[in-house]
Amino acid sequence: IDLRAGEQKQTEFLEMNPLGLVPVLVDGEDIICDSNGILIYLAKRYDDSNQWLPQEPAAAAAVQQWLGIAADTLVHGPAKARLAYLFGFDVDGEQATDIAHDLFAMMNTHLAQRTWLAAEHVTIADVAMYTYTAHAGEGRISLELYPHIQAWLRCMESLKGYCGMPKMPLPETA
């Protein structure tokens, strides 16, 4: 979908997601909208081991907590900063940066004693938090102060089958 060309607002796409938002997953007859919904669907549909979405109550709750953080704080922090500085959207980039640093400070402390966010192994919580964290630099947010986040990102990137999103250069500033 070419977002800059507005393809997400065209009839064909709106039939899949009437809100005109990405991402959308089409898997056979199933059409799933929303990043977190897609992650839950994929884990329930294709992971018989329950690694990606644990069934044990405390681990399941921890995954849900991080999915909530991904849908809220991650979006209002690093994702919004990226929209402001990379794409020039009319959002408060400074406020988004402050939110991102608060989030990253908390994550860095959390990851100081563990490898993964929600369990003793990778889960969909890690996937949900990964991209906007890994691409924080595109929102002019350095991860230099967060060594445990940097280590976590390296762990994510070393997973079998990892396929990253290309980094985009920041536009020149006046």
Side-chain angles (χ1 to χ4, degrees):
I1 296 296
D2 185 343
L3 298 175
R4 290 182 185 189
E7 288 182 13
Q8 74 279 15
K9 301 298 182 186
Q10 301 301 314
T11 303
E12 184 178 340
F13 188 85
L14 291 171
E15 288 173 1
M16 291 186 290
N17 184 350
L19 294 174
L21 300 173
V22 294
V24 172
L25 172 71
V26 178
D27 186 30
E29 297 294 315
D30 296 319
I31 299 174
I32 313 298
C33 303
D34 177 72
S35 300
N36 290 343
I38 290 168
L39 290 172
I40 290 170
Y41 173 84
L42 291 172
K44 290 285 196 182
R45 179 82 170 95
Y46 295 104
D47 177 28
D48 294 333
S49 72
N50 294 319
Q51 171 185 327
W52 293 95
L53 183 57
Q55 299 303 302
E56 188 274 316
V63 167
Q64 183 58 49
Q65 173 186 327
W66 285 104
L67 292 178
I69 292 169
D72 185 88
T73 312
L74 189 70
V75 168
H76 293 291
K80 241 183 208 176
R82 188 172 179 266
L83 288 174
Y85 298 118
L86 184 61
F87 296 107
F89 278 47
D90 186 21
V91 296
D92 189 338
E94 288 183 31
Q95 180 184 36
T97 298
D98 290 344
I99 292 169
H101 282 298
D102 289 346
L103 170 62
F104 291 157
M106 181 275 291
M107 283 177 67
N108 196 64
T109 299
H110 181 75
L111 289 165
Q113 302 299 318
R114 55 189 308 129
T115 303
W116 305 106
L117 292 172
E120 296 301 315
H121 51 79
V122 66
T123 68
I124 62 173
D126 298 287
V127 177
M129 294 297 296
Y130 173 78
T131 302
Y132 288 126
T133 302
H135 288 264
E138 294 172 5
R140 297 185 183 158
I141 300 166
S142 172
L143 296 177
E144 188 175 317
L145 298 175
Y146 310 110
H148 304 297
I149 290 177
Q150 292 176 47
W152 169 74
L153 292 172
R154 287 190 299 274
C155 287
M156 290 293 292
E157 292 159 3
S158 71
L159 291 170
K160 182 180 178 186
Y162 167 81
C163 179
M165 185 171 88
K167 303 252 184 206
M168 297 181 68
L170 282 170
E172 296 294 322
T173 57

